[in-house]
Amino acid sequence: MNVKDMKEPDIHSLMTDHHSIRHVGTVSKISENTVTVRLNGNLNCSGCSTKSACGMAESESKEIELQNQGNTYKINESVELVLEKNLGLKAVIWAYIFPFILMLSTLLIAMAFFSEPFSGLIALLVLIPYFAVLYFSKNIFGRVFKISLIKHLSA
């Protein structure tokens, strides 16, 4: 997943804000333009109402690739990814709710004209162009879904 890093995050407001989704991770790879962060299991997932849709609660670790805006990070450095909660809800809507509505409405319309198995196939196949459009719009989504990368302060 490629998303752009905020240019200059306000660290104090991000550290004290309760309206954000946070994941602690470790820098696993650095290139000229990108920083790859391996996300650790998150303790905050237990209290999150969207944990079943997020996918972070079930897995041990995932990697996310962020644009490096000139910040200096080191391999194995502890960092924190911060995303506003309302953006998490928007992501769930784009990834799960819109495709479900599209598939269901296609199924209902197709059943008026075709047999049930063929209508089901059409309803499944309509997801291919939907997710293709999402894939080719990843630069737009990268500007909308900004993830802040903050160096994790050791105690």
Side-chain angles (χ1 to χ4, degrees), residues 42-60:
N42 193 344
L43 298 174
N44 296 329
C45 290
S46 61
C48 181
S49 60
T50 59
K51 69 179 176 184
S52 61
C54 174
M56 286 306 300
E58 300 95 34
S59 69
E60 289 295 318

Side-chain angles (χ1 to χ4, degrees), residues 4-148:
K4 291 196 176 190
D5 193 16
M6 285 179 148
K7 290 181 182 173
E8 287 294 325
D10 180 8
I11 293 175
H12 178 67
S13 66
L14 289 172
M15 297 299 279
T16 59
D17 185 17
H18 296 289
H19 302 290
S20 61
I21 299 169
R22 300 168 182 277
H23 290 286
V24 175
T26 307
V27 176
S28 62
K29 184 175 146 186
I30 301 171
S31 68
E32 283 185 31
N33 300 328
T34 61
V35 175
T36 304
V37 178
R38 184 176 55 253
L39 300 176
N40 307 331
N42 193 344
L43 298 174
N44 296 329
C45 290
S46 61
C48 181
S49 60
T50 59
K51 69 179 176 184
S52 61
C54 174
M56 286 306 300
E58 300 95 34
S59 69
E60 289 295 318
S61 67
K62 291 189 178 193
E63 288 194 345
I64 185 167
E65 188 175 292
L66 302 165
Q67 295 292 339
N68 189 357
Q69 297 292 327
N71 296 325
T72 57
Y73 298 102
K74 299 173 186 161
I75 300 288
N76 296 324
E77 181 177 23
S78 183
V79 293
E80 187 171 18
L81 295 166
V82 181
L83 175 71
E84 292 180 37
K85 278 190 181 177
N86 65 345
L87 293 178
L89 180 60
K90 287 180 185 179
V92 169
I93 290 170
W94 280 103
Y96 298 105
I97 299 193
F98 282 162
F100 175 74
I101 292 170
L102 177 65
M103 192 170 71
L104 185 62
S105 60
T106 302
L107 178 66
L108 295 175
I109 292 169
M111 284 182 65
F113 300 103
F114 303 107
S115 67
E116 195 172 301
F118 191 65
S119 297
L121 182 63
I122 292 171
L124 288 173
L125 291 177
V126 78
L127 294 177
I128 294 172
Y130 175 78
F131 284 112
V133 167
L134 285 185
Y135 177 78
F136 291 115
S137 303
K138 65 183 174 184
N139 289 335
I140 294 169
F141 284 106
R143 287 190 293 269
V144 173
F145 294 98
K146 291 183 180 176
I147 296 179
S148 300

